[in-house]
Amino acid sequence: MPAEFTSLRPLLFTVYVPAAAYGIGMGAAAPVMALTALDLGASPAVAGLTVAFVGLGQILGDIPAGQVVARLGERISIIAASTAGLIGVLLCLFAPTVPILGAGLIIVGLSNAVWGLARMSYLSEVVPFERRARAMSLFGGAMRLGFFVGPFLGAAAITGFGTRGGFAVQLIAIVLAGWLMARLPDPPTAEAATPRPPLSLIAVARAHRHLLLTLGAGSLLMGVGRASREAVLPLWADHLGVSAATASLIFGVGAGLDVVCAYPAGHLMDRYGRRFIAVPSLAILAVAYLTVPLTDSALTLSVVAIVMGIGNGIGNGVIMTIGADIAPDVSRAEFLAAWRLTHDGGFFVGPLAISGLAAIGPLAVAILTIGGVSALGAGVMARYIPVFIPWPRKID
């Protein structure tokens, strides 16, 4: 068993600051992905699809990420992921065509998958159970803080260097985050004395199929509910005739609450259990989605965005915490990769579902459907979290 941190302070510059830096890079690049595709001659539809390539890359990266981390360890995996991320961002920065831009974004997604899993696996090892939720929520909150700040730094870079300035900020952020996190050595584990070949994702899925088909379904539904707001709020704002600048401000208010809610949510999870946060998070999102079609102005939509931000914010770190709780001591990294795939799959499917449903019917129906999905996710979490994570939990 690795030595555990009795305080989260030693992780400040090796986990949380790098996470914020990495989030800054993601936030700076997010607004310019579609714009760069448009500059390269893509149609609006193709430009919108290009943005989904990061999510696609992350899903593809989840498949081998567990074996990579199990084989190489957290530190080398971070170095490899950061190097891949640099290559991906450089392709985006200098892409002469849309296909090359898309390839760069997919590589960035692959990097995100390995990078995130390595840090999740590390925190699972070194943070004691009684502080685990706070550690994971702070990690998620640091990423969200960076994603919130990133567009502002990206805007400054765009002013000086053009549309692709956001990618330049991401390049610097990945270098800084990778360097900071690579300084920390791998924790000793029980597996070090008995080396074994890493398990494949299929083998992990077979061994834990009941858990992944039940609690994992809740994780997927939570991913759908959390990711869909990135499509719902701008699309409904446009439906109401709200300007792009105002729509961005509305989204930013909700995003800011993600950061504010991170640590309190982790504290409550450590004290009252994972279900205490997971179920209300999804229930609040469900209510917010079901209310969106009732809004008729920027003001009322802003109120709903605030509610949605609270629902999303209190869920910061809950999926990572649950994953750390249920991960076996043996094949921990491989299992966490399979667990992350459930949530990342939901993040990828959510916005695509909104787009597809809106294409064949009224936008309001698409939004109400996501509200129903979020409510279903709350029910699944309420049913299965106690099955796999009984509370109060006995600590050995």
Side-chain angles (χ1 to χ4, degrees):
M1 182 71 179
E4 294 181 330
F5 287 95
T6 57
S7 167
L8 300 181
R9 290 179 183 175
L11 301 174
L12 178 63
F13 290 103
T14 51
V15 175
Y16 298 121
V17 171
Y22 202 87
I24 285 173
M26 293 172 63
V32 303
M33 294 175 188
L35 295 177
T36 301
L38 291 173
D39 287 346
L40 292 173
S43 66
V46 172
L49 182 62
T50 301
V51 177
F53 285 171
V54 175
L56 175 61
Q58 192 155 319
I59 290 175
L60 295 175
D62 283 335
I63 296 173
Q67 295 189 59
V68 170
V69 174
R71 190 180 298 274
L72 301 180
E74 283 87 353
R75 180 175 178 273
I76 300 301
S77 297
I78 284 290
I79 294 173
S82 298
T83 301
L86 285 177
I87 294 172
V89 174
L90 284 171
L91 285 176
C92 295
L93 195 56
F94 298 106
T97 63
V98 174
I100 293 179
L101 173 67
L105 293 175
I106 289 175
I107 293 173
V108 170
L110 292 170
S111 170
N112 291 348
V114 177
W115 198 93
L117 177 65
R119 288 303 87 181
M120 182 178 175
S121 177
Y122 180 81
L123 288 175
S124 299
E125 290 279 356
V126 303
V127 177
F129 176 79
E130 60 270 17
R131 290 183 177 84
R132 179 177 289 163
R134 277 168 284 185
M136 295 295 187
S137 294
L138 277 177
F139 181 73
M143 292 284 288
R144 299 291 180 86
L145 174 62
F147 198 85
F148 178 69
V149 173
F152 297 101
L153 295 180
I158 290 169
T159 301
F161 303 103
T163 301
R164 303 196 196 194
F167 289 126
V169 174
Q170 187 177 30
L171 188 73
I172 296 171
I174 288 177
V175 172
L176 177 61
W179 175 71
L180 286 172
M181 297 189 90
R183 294 181 306 149
L184 203 62
D186 290 329
T189 65
E191 295 179 24
T194 56
R196 57 168 183 80
L199 296 178
S200 69
L201 188 67
I202 294 176
V204 172
R206 286 174 178 168
H208 302 279
R209 57 184 176 274
H210 176 61
L211 185 154
L212 294 173
L213 289 173
T214 52
L215 191 57
S219 172
L220 186 144
L221 293 172
M222 187 172 224
V224 171
R226 295 172 71 178
S228 295
R229 72 193 190 105
E230 298 182 9
V232 165
L233 290 176
L235 287 175
W236 194 255
D238 179 72
H239 173 76
L240 296 177
V242 176
S243 68
T246 302
S248 180
L249 181 61
I250 290 172
F251 189 84
V253 170
L257 288 168
D258 285 355
V259 180
V260 175
C261 294
Y263 187 80
H267 179 78
L268 290 171
M269 272 194 284
D270 278 333
R271 185 167 185 178
Y272 298 109
R274 307 346 182 187
R275 184 168 64 167
F276 188 83
I277 287 297
V279 175
S281 173
L282 278 165
I284 293 171
L285 283 174
V287 170
Y289 282 125
L290 295 174
T291 308
V292 167
L294 302 179
T295 61
D296 57 4
S297 67
L299 177 60
T300 53
L301 183 60
S302 296
V303 173
V304 172
I306 289 172
V307 174
M308 203 174 287
I310 293 171
N312 191 63
I314 65 173
N316 261 331
V318 67
I319 294 298
M320 291 189 292
T321 303
I322 291 174
D325 288 346
I326 59 180
D329 291 334
V330 178
S331 69
R332 178 186 296 272
E334 298 97 313
F335 174 85
L336 290 176
W339 177 250
R340 280 176 58 92
L341 184 59
T342 63
H343 196 58
D344 288 347
F347 256 78
F348 182 65
V349 168
L352 290 182
I354 287 289
S355 177
L357 290 170
I360 62 176
L363 177 60
V365 173
I367 296 173
L368 291 173
T369 300
I370 296 300
V373 167
S374 300
L376 177 61
V380 172
M381 287 296 200
R383 169 67 178 86
Y384 287 105
I385 287 178
V387 173
F388 296 101
I389 313 173
W391 198 269
R393 176 166 172 166
K394 181 180 177 181
I395 303 175
D396 295 329

